């Protein structure tokens, strides 16, 4: 979507479905509409002076969209969704080698693309959420209101916004702003408890930061302490509001608290800080995760467990085992969606790490396919059924799973309560094309003849690009190097979406030299939006020493030949490949 004064335009392919919309699609549509409406105030009524202030417009609109969703729509767990989606995008972006402060100088309009990212949107919105909690919700509202009234139809700097927040709250926000807005990186919080005879005697919150971005921040948080009942089950938590500052903060404790078996130092997710699980909490979660009473807390602990395997603290397959159990009992659709997304991400990483993960995939993939297919066929809500089907379509790759896709396509198998619509048929065809299955070319030709929509034309490009043959990849790379032959960014992105699925890293490796050689050629002659999609689409991790070395060399040798946008995404691709390679040793 794009906001203009009193008018918003939308990409209808992204927001209009030819089938009943899923919960995720409905929420994304509502969030985008509300986000763009918020720009009528932040962005149009009051406008940033220059591109360095763009983050405040986008972050505020993201924050306001969440608050408006909560107040006016069916999505009464919006902040939960903000954690599972927005916050995780912020952490990922802020962990990259190219991270930057929220507020950063922008030298020219073209350099705006260097800061048009999830720090501008999701991290900024996360910081504003913490600011509202830090100064108090009503003080925050008054500060925003006074700022808009005083600066209507004019331009502002960040210092203007901070001044009105200080005035409304009576707090000096400048030091807070320096920590949060002018320094890159994020913190990790870990609880350390000392108990005597079953009673909690001391509790410390340890704050850390990565060496390259060592800022320790002030955090206004709630700390949740979960004790175990006589039968071993988790009791409702004791919640202690507190301010964290520096490397170690001691928590003021009331008398007589039972020794906790599980601690969340960021209960309700008020601040931007990942949680690190202490040994006792990690042990408790192995058997008690499903029994944590609050959905958001359950979700936060689940994310912490997923973070551990994605950073190599445990094998990826161990997370799949946890997820397989939880997905069959979890009652909350938001957590089911989180489970689906994390299972898809984990499986894709395991595909990239073959052959080390071959045995783990062979024993688990058919089970996961069946679990999500049963979820789709079950008699639960339509949203959960759609979630199950979408997950199955995204992971199907075993011999049985691919045969099921074919059966769904030709109608020999049905899923109760779900019609296989034209859009779903294209998803199935793309998945089959990725695996070179079932005379794909004939199936694509037949489907194209039956569906002449613009959506179908783009999905055909994705499916054609996905076919697993080196000659096919070389052909489409040649097309992409002459973007004028694929008129329109949406058609170019459709091709890029199919080029290198996770099961085709060997093919990607074969044409890696062609991709890297094309970067200097394209860098200064194509739109930065295309260059962003080109590098991200063609260089997902390959996870082997050769690809890591080739990208390292490309960063060094072509740095002075690439524009800033291309160089940024090439550096990120190299970092992601290095991190993926490091996972091989722990599978």
């Amino acid at each position: 979507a794009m906001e203009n004064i009193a008018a918003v335009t939308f990409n209808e392919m992204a927001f209009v479905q030819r089938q009943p919309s899923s919960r995720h699609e409905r929420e994304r549509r509502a969030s985008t509409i509300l986000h763009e409406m918020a720009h009528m105030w932040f962005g149009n009524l009051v406008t940033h002076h220059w591109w360095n202030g763009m983050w405040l417009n986008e972050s505020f609109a993201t924050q306001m969209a969440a608050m408006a969703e909560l107040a006016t729509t069916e999505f009464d767990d919006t902040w939960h969704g903000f954690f599972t989606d927005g916050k995780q995008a912020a952490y990922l972006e802020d962990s990259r080698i190219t991270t930057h402060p929220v507020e950063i100088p922008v030298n020219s309009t073209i350099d705006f693309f260097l800061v048009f990212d999830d720090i501008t949107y999701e991290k900024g919105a996360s910081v504003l959420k913490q600011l509202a909690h830090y100064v108090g919700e009503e003080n925050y509202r008054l500060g925003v209101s006074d700022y808009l009234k005083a600066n209507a139809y004019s331009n502002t700097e960040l210092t203007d916004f901070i001044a009105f927040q200080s005035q409304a709250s009576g707090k000096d926000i400048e030091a807070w702003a320096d920590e949060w807005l002018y320094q890159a990186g994020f913190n990790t919080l870990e609880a350390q408890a000392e108990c005597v005879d079953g009673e909690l005697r001391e509790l410390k919150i340890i704050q850390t930061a990565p060496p390259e971005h060592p800022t320790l921040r002030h955090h206004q948080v709630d700390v949740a302490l979960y004790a175990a009942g006589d039968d071993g089950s988790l009791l409702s938590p004791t919640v202690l509001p507190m301010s964290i500052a520096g490397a170690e903060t001691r928590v003021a404790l009331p008398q007589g608290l039972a020794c906790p078996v599980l601690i969340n130092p960021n209960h309700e997710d008020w601040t931007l800080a990942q949680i690190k699980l202490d040994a006792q909490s990690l042990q408790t979660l192995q058997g008690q995760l499903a029994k944590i009473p609050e959905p958001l807390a359950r979700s936060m602990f689940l994310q912490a467990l997923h973070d551990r395997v994605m950073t190599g603290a445990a094998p990826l397959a161990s997370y799949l085992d946890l997820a397989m159990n939880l997905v069959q009992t979890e009652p909350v659709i938001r957590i089911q969606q989180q489970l689906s997304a994390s299972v898809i991400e984990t499986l894709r990483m395991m595909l990239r790490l073959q052959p080390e993960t071959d045995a783990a995939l062979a024993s688990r993939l058919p089970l996961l396919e069946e679990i999500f297919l049963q979820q789709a066929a079950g008699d639960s809500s339509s949203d959960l059924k759609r979630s199950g089907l979408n997950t199955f379509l995204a992971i199907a790759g075993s011999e049985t799973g691919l045969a099921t896709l074919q059966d769904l396509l030709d109608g020999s198998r049905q899923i109760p309560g779900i019609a296989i619509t034209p859009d779903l048929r294209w998803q199935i065809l793309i998945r089959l094309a990725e695996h070179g299955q079932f005379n794909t070319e004939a199936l694509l030709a037949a489907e194209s003849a039956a569906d002449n929509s613009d959506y179908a034309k783009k999905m055909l490009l994705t499916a054609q690009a996905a076919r697993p043959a080196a000659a096919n990849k070389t052909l489409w790379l040649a097309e992409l190097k002459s973007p004028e032959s694929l008129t329109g960014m949406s058609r170019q992105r459709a091709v890029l979406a199919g080029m290198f699925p996770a099961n085709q890293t060997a093919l990607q490796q074969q044409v890696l030299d062609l991709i890297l050689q094309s970067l200097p050629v394209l860098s200064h002659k194509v739109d930065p939006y295309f260059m962003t999609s080109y590098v991200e689409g063609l260089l997902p991790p390959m996870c082997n020493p050769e690809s890591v070395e080739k990208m390292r060399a490309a960063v060094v040798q072509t740095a002075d030949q690439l524009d800033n946008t291309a160089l940024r995404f090439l550096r990120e691709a190299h970092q992601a490949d290095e991190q993926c390679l490091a996972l091989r040793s722990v599978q």
Side-chain angles (χ1 to χ4, degrees):
M2 173 62 71
E3 53 86 17
N4 305 279
I5 296 176
V8 180
T9 56
F10 293 90
N11 176 344
E12 50 185 47
M13 182 175 173
F15 294 106
V16 180
Q17 290 81 41
R18 296 185 293 176
Q19 59 204 23
S21 298
S22 67
R23 187 180 197 270
H24 174 75
E25 289 164 341
R26 295 195 307 275
E27 183 175 24
R28 182 166 176 259
R29 197 158 52 226
S31 176
T32 303
I33 291 169
L34 292 167
H35 177 106
E36 303 303 336
M37 287 175 63
H39 278 317
M40 299 303 157
W41 289 266
F42 255 75
N44 293 338
L45 180 66
V46 179
T47 306
H48 54 279
H49 180 73
W50 182 240
W51 293 112
N52 60 290
M54 184 71 173
W55 77 268
L56 185 54
N57 290 355
E58 299 300 349
S59 297
F60 183 82
T62 300
Q63 179 193 33
M64 287 300 107
M67 295 171 68
E69 275 187 67
L70 188 63
T72 63
T73 73
E74 65 179 291
F75 308 110
D76 56 3
D77 60 347
T78 295
W79 286 122
H80 189 167
F82 183 77
F83 168 78
T84 59
D85 298 332
K87 276 282 183 78
Q88 303 319 309
Y91 292 131
L92 175 61
E93 194 77 53
D94 214 8
S95 66
R96 287 173 168 159
I97 194 171
T98 54
T99 190
H100 56 83
V102 174
E103 173 79 12
I104 185 175
V106 178
N107 296 322
S108 67
T109 297
I110 198 68
D111 284 345
F112 157 70
F113 289 94
L114 296 177
V115 296
F116 194 65
D117 55 22
D118 285 320
I119 292 177
T120 298
Y121 283 76
E122 310 299 351
K123 181 180 179 181
S126 302
V127 170
L128 292 180
K129 181 183 179 184
Q130 167 63 188
L131 175 60
H133 194 59
Y134 180 69
V135 301
E137 296 286 342
E138 181 60 14
N139 289 332
Y140 180 74
R141 188 193 68 78
L142 289 172
V144 169
S145 177
D146 292 343
Y147 165 83
L148 292 173
K149 291 173 184 174
N151 295 290
Y153 303 104
S154 63
N155 300 83
T156 62
E157 303 280 1
L158 174 59
T159 52
D160 300 311
F161 180 78
I162 295 301
F164 277 96
Q165 286 297 316
S166 294
Q167 179 180 316
S169 65
K171 292 185 175 182
D172 181 3
I173 308 298
E174 288 189 11
W176 180 95
D178 181 69
E179 294 174 354
W180 283 97
L181 302 176
Y182 293 96
Q183 310 298 326
F186 59 88
N187 301 120
T188 298
L189 303 179
E190 179 183 9
Q192 293 184 356
E194 291 187 14
C195 300
V196 177
D197 297 329
E199 183 178 332
L200 180 62
R201 295 294 177 85
E202 184 175 79
L203 179 64
K204 295 182 293 188
I205 305 300
I206 306 302
Q207 179 181 189
T208 56
E212 59 272 23
H213 302 294
T215 302
L216 299 179
R217 297 170 176 84
H218 287 77
H219 302 263
Q220 189 67 37
V221 300
D222 291 345
V223 178
L225 310 175
Y226 295 82
D230 294 337
D231 60 355
S233 61
L234 290 178
L235 302 176
S236 295
T238 298
V239 178
L240 304 175
M242 65 171 298
S243 298
I244 293 172
E248 179 179 307
T249 304
R250 294 179 183 272
V251 182
L253 296 173
Q255 293 274 335
L257 284 181
C259 187
V261 296
L262 180 64
I263 305 173
N264 185 351
N266 187 20
H267 186 62
E268 295 292 346
D269 191 40
W270 288 115
T271 196
L272 180 76
Q274 286 187 326
I275 59 174
K276 181 179 179 181
L277 297 170
D278 63 284
Q280 177 61 66
S281 292
L282 189 59
Q283 179 181 337
T284 299
L285 288 173
Q286 301 311 309
Q288 299 272 29
L289 177 58
K291 300 174 184 177
I292 295 169
E294 311 90 356
L296 176 54
R298 210 156 59 245
S299 198
M300 293 181 74
F301 287 123
L302 176 65
Q303 183 63 50
L305 293 169
H306 189 237
D307 290 340
R308 292 185 78 251
V309 301
M310 295 303 289
T311 54
L316 291 162
S318 66
Y319 181 80
L320 294 183
D321 294 337
L322 171 83
M324 275 193 283
N325 290 325
L326 192 59
V327 76
Q328 297 178 78
T329 59
E330 175 55 53
V332 176
I333 181 65
R334 181 78 72 185
I335 302 178
Q336 285 283 358
Q337 291 171 331
Q338 179 186 7
L339 281 163
S340 294
S342 60
V343 164
I344 292 168
E345 182 183 7
T346 303
L347 283 170
R348 286 175 178 170
M349 185 61 76
M350 292 176 72
L351 286 169
R352 298 186 188 284
L353 290 168
Q354 289 176 307
E356 282 84 344
T357 56
D358 281 348
L361 280 167
S363 62
R364 290 169 177 83
L365 181 56
L367 293 174
L368 284 162
E369 290 171 341
E370 185 59 28
I371 286 170
F372 286 106
L373 201 56
Q374 288 179 2
Q375 190 179 83
D379 58 2
S380 54
S381 72
S382 60
D383 286 325
L384 186 57
K385 288 169 66 68
R386 277 290 304 278
S387 176
L389 177 61
N390 289 340
T391 307
F392 171 74
L393 296 181
I395 68 173
S398 71
E399 183 177 339
T400 302
L402 294 171
T404 300
L405 290 178
Q406 174 70 14
D407 292 344
L408 290 171
L409 192 67
D410 65 23
S412 60
R413 178 165 181 168
Q414 288 86 36
I415 298 177
I418 296 181
I420 303 301
T421 64
D423 289 6
L424 291 174
R425 291 179 64 83
W426 278 110
Q427 290 181 45
I428 293 171
L429 282 166
I430 290 169
R431 193 71 182 161
L432 292 174
E434 290 175 4
H435 290 270
Q437 293 286 311
F438 303 110
N439 192 20
T440 307
E441 280 300 306
L443 292 172
L444 291 175
E447 198 68 28
S448 295
D451 185 356
N452 194 38
S453 67
D454 183 63
Y455 179 89
K457 290 180 173 64
K458 294 184 176 72
M459 294 303 98
L460 176 62
L461 290 172
T462 301
Q464 289 174 330
R467 290 174 56 241
N472 184 54
K473 303 303 179 183
T474 304
L475 171 68
W476 283 107
L477 281 174
E479 291 287 318
L480 288 166
K481 283 195 290 185
S482 301
E484 61 273 9
S485 68
L486 285 167
T487 54
M489 181 73 73
S490 63
R491 289 169 61 81
Q492 295 157 2
R493 285 176 170 164
V495 171
L496 288 164
M499 284 295 285
F500 297 116
N503 65 318
Q504 294 184 13
T505 54
L507 285 171
Q508 185 185 0
Q509 183 78 15
Q510 290 181 42
V511 296
L512 179 58
D513 288 338
L514 291 175
I515 297 169
L516 295 176
Q517 290 163 11
S518 71
L519 297 182
V521 177
L522 290 173
S523 179
H524 296 283
K525 79 172 189 177
V526 299
D527 186 285
Y529 276 116
F530 173 80
M531 204 66 211
T532 299
S533 298
Y534 186 83
V535 180
E536 288 186 323
L538 297 182
L539 293 176
M542 287 157 277
C543 315
N544 64 63
E546 294 79 10
S547 61
V548 169
E549 175 54 28
K550 284 186 176 182
M551 280 198 278
R552 185 205 64 77
V555 170
V556 173
Q557 295 167 9
T558 64
D560 59 349
Q561 303 172 49
L562 301 177
D563 73 350
N564 289 337
T565 302
L567 181 59
R568 170 190 171 158
F569 288 103
L570 177 59
R571 293 178 67 207
E572 290 180 358
H574 175 236
Q575 179 190 19
D577 211 25
E578 279 188 316
Q579 292 170 339
C580 182
L581 176 60
L583 293 179
R584 285 197 180 277
S585 62
V586 295
Q587 302 312 311

